């Protein structure tokens, strides 16, 4: 058995997130391929959570292949920690399928774009520069830095000033970079349910994500951890994506706008590119358009975004005409098909150009026996 790029990437994904639901992992690997990795003793089921985890044998295997670039993570078996890791796995898979490099072990590696760093990699060690902040990841997309938070109903509260200070302090090496936030969740609906939930006023520093969403001065993008979210990240990974995607979508109908609140004019209406799901920017554009006498604006986004959010919130309320971006327009900007990335089954090659193989798996009735593996030159 020769290991494929898909095999190796799946092992690394499980290593980075620690806990992942089997049905989620099957979005990037077949059930047969997953069973092969489990039969080799690299992945196993975690009885308490029903999740999949990397075994010590799987970790040793990755260290043999990648040496020091594999993080040594502090494993936690507390229910709350497992739940956080499972949420993180949704974000990790979405980013991975969006073409973002998630196999990053320090913030310094974020100079390469698109990339994403999980602070959990450094937590649990002798020093923890992140303190008790709730940020799930830091990402560099299209030369913009994003603090990513996982948001869902009942997620709890945060100290916003601590989050901002940590974000700036941990990315201070990026001196001139622009910064923004991403609020990610299992669906756009889940995120909005928490952001729009009413809350009693208190005198503490802790505020809800809804309050943070309303008072943050930096842009805030919503990200659904699904196929639409993966393509959204592909778009946001392109520098100056709004201008490029606006021109690709409107083509000959494009008219420049003198108002910076809008991306263009389309058939006489203000036009907003909303594929990055910055709804506060969209709401502000609608407000400015009405002040200038426009009853509607034109909005373009991905199909999943339109159906989940933009149709009910903007089209059906008469605030905007909502258009769905074509695959051709998206591909013109990203240079790739507008679908989630799937790792190939081609042979994996080490940095030295070697392939990795393992003895053939036993018949299904004997597949539980673990087998060894080794690395050998190709050819």
């Amino acid at each position: 058995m020769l290991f494929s790029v898909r095999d190796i990437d799946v092992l690394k994904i499980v290593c980075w997130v620690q806990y992942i639901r089997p049905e989620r992992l099957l979005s990037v690997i077949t059930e047969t391929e997953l069973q092969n990795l489990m039969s080799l003793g690299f992945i196993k089921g975690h009885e308490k959570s029903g999740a999949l985890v990397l075994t010590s044998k799987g970790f040793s295997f990755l260290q043999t292949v990648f040496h020091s670039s594999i993080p040594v993570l502090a494993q936690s078996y507390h229910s709350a920690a497992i739940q956080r890791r499972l949420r993180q796995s949704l974000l990790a898979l979405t980013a991975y399928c969006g073409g973002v490099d998630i196999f990053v072990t320090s913030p310094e590696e974020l100079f390469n774009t698109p990339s994403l760093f999980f602070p959990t990699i450094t937590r649990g060690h002798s020093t923890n520069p992140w303190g008790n902040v709730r940020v799930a990841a830091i990402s560099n997309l299209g030369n913009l830095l994003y603090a990513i938070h996982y948001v869902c109903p009942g997620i709890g509260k945060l100290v916003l000033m601590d989050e901002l200070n940590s974000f700036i302090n941990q990315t201070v090496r990026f001196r001139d970079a622009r910064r923004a936030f991403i609020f990610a969740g299992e669906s756009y609906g889940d995120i909005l349910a928490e952001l729009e939930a009413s809350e009693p006023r208190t005198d503490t520093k802790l505020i809800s994500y809804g309050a943070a969403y309303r008072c943050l001065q930096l842009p805030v993008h919503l990200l659904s951890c699904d196929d639409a979210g993966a393509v959204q990240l592909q778009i946001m990974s392109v520098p100056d994506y709004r201008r490029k995607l606006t021109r690709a979508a409107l083509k000959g109908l494009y008219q420049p706008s003198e108002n910076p609140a809008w991306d263009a004019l389309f058939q006489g209406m203000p036009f907003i590119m909303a594929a990055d799901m910055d709804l506060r920017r969209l709401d502000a554009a609608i407000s400015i358009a009405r002040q200038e006498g426009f009853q509607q604006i034109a909005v373009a986004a991905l199909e999943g975004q339109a159906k989940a959010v933009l149709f009910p919130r903007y089209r059906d309320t008469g605030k905007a005409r909502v258009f769905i971006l074509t695959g051709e327009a998206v591909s013109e900007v990203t240079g790739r098909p507008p679908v989630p990335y799937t790792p190939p089954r081609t042979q994996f090659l080490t940095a030295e150009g070697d392939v990795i193989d393992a003895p053939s798996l036993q018949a299904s009735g004997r597949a539980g026996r673990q087998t060894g593996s080794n690395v050998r030159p190709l050819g």
Side-chain angles (χ1 to χ4, degrees):
M1 170 185 171
L2 288 176
F3 285 88
S4 67
V5 172
R6 185 179 304 179
D7 294 327
I8 300 299
D9 275 10
V10 164
L11 289 174
K12 291 174 70 178
I13 289 171
V14 180
C15 176
W16 254 254
V17 302
Q18 296 186 307
Y19 294 89
I20 189 168
R21 298 288 184 196
E23 62 273 17
R24 293 290 183 171
L25 197 56
L26 288 173
S27 65
V28 294
I29 193 172
T30 68
E31 188 168 354
T32 298
E33 290 167 326
L34 177 57
Q35 287 299 322
N36 285 345
L37 295 175
M38 297 182 72
S39 296
L40 285 168
F42 292 164
I43 295 175
K44 68 178 182 179
H46 181 250
E47 185 175 352
K48 181 179 178 181
S49 64
L52 296 175
V53 298
L54 192 72
T55 65
S56 57
K57 181 178 181 180
F59 177 75
S60 297
F61 170 77
L62 287 177
Q63 280 198 317
T64 300
V65 177
F66 295 101
H67 312 296
S68 60
S69 62
I70 298 298
V72 180
L73 304 179
Q75 191 81 9
S76 177
Y77 300 98
H78 296 293
S79 296
I82 292 174
Q83 187 60 41
R84 287 194 296 269
R85 299 298 186 274
L86 288 172
R87 290 169 179 159
Q88 178 178 302
S89 73
L90 298 180
L91 172 59
L93 272 180
T94 303
Y96 176 83
C97 292
V100 179
D101 179 11
I102 66 170
F103 305 126
V104 171
T105 57
S106 71
E108 289 79 5
E109 296 176 43
L110 291 176
F111 277 108
N112 298 318
T113 182
S115 55
L116 182 148
F117 169 72
F118 291 109
T120 51
I121 290 177
T122 57
R123 285 177 172 147
H125 296 279
S126 57
T127 59
N128 177 21
W130 299 90
N132 294 318
V133 295
R134 303 199 61 166
V135 63
I138 301 292
S139 186
N140 183 351
L141 304 174
N143 297 319
L144 273 76
L145 292 176
Y146 296 89
I148 306 178
H149 287 247
Y150 193 95
V151 178
C152 63
I155 192 61
K157 299 183 177 184
L158 71 163
V159 180
L160 185 56
M161 188 55 64
D162 289 352
E163 299 292 339
L164 288 168
N165 288 338
S166 178
F167 182 24
I168 293 172
N169 291 339
Q170 295 304 315
T171 57
V172 69
R173 60 186 62 82
F174 302 90
R175 296 183 182 277
D176 300 322
R178 290 181 293 156
R179 289 171 172 81
F181 276 71
I182 291 176
F183 285 176
E186 189 162 1
S187 68
Y188 294 115
D190 263 12
I191 304 167
L192 287 168
E194 175 63 18
L195 297 184
E196 296 172 349
S198 60
E199 58 162 323
R201 296 190 64 177
T202 64
D203 296 327
T204 68
K205 294 181 181 179
L206 289 168
I207 63 173
S208 69
Y209 272 96
Y213 181 67
R214 289 184 286 274
C215 72
L216 269 169
Q217 298 299 307
L218 295 175
V220 181
H221 305 262
L222 308 187
L223 177 72
S224 183
C225 291
D226 54 17
D227 289 357
V231 179
Q232 177 183 336
L233 290 179
Q234 292 174 9
I235 293 170
M236 293 176 66
S237 296
V238 177
D240 197 19
Y241 61 84
R242 280 192 190 130
R243 181 188 63 82
K244 293 176 181 177
L245 192 51
T246 295
R247 288 183 173 274
L250 298 183
K251 295 189 180 299
L253 298 177
Y254 172 85
Q255 292 179 286
S257 170
E258 294 182 0
N259 194 316
W262 310 324
D263 295 312
L265 294 176
F266 171 65
Q267 296 180 344
M269 291 186 296
F271 177 90
I272 293 294
M273 178 53 64
D276 59 3
M277 291 300 283
D278 184 348
L279 298 188
R280 296 191 313 175
R281 177 176 182 265
L282 177 53
D283 290 337
I286 291 173
S287 177
I288 293 171
R290 288 187 171 178
Q291 292 173 14
E292 297 197 10
F294 296 95
Q295 295 303 308
Q296 276 191 332
I297 69 169
V299 178
L302 300 171
E303 183 175 2
Q305 298 168 337
K307 290 181 177 179
V309 179
L310 302 184
F311 285 169
R313 292 173 72 93
Y314 300 99
R315 185 196 66 178
D316 298 347
T317 57
K319 294 180 179 179
R321 293 179 63 189
V322 178
F323 298 88
I324 294 174
L325 291 166
T326 66
E328 290 78 8
V330 175
S331 293
E332 182 178 329
V333 173
T334 64
R336 62 194 302 167
V339 294
Y341 167 77
T342 300
R345 299 182 66 181
T346 53
Q347 291 178 359
F348 174 82
L349 298 178
T350 67
E352 295 77 21
D354 300 335
V355 297
I356 308 172
D357 66 359
S360 300
L361 296 176
Q362 303 299 316
S364 59
R366 301 170 59 192
R369 191 177 74 178
Q370 296 182 358
T371 56
S373 63
N374 64 302
V375 180
R376 64 180 175 83
L378 178 63

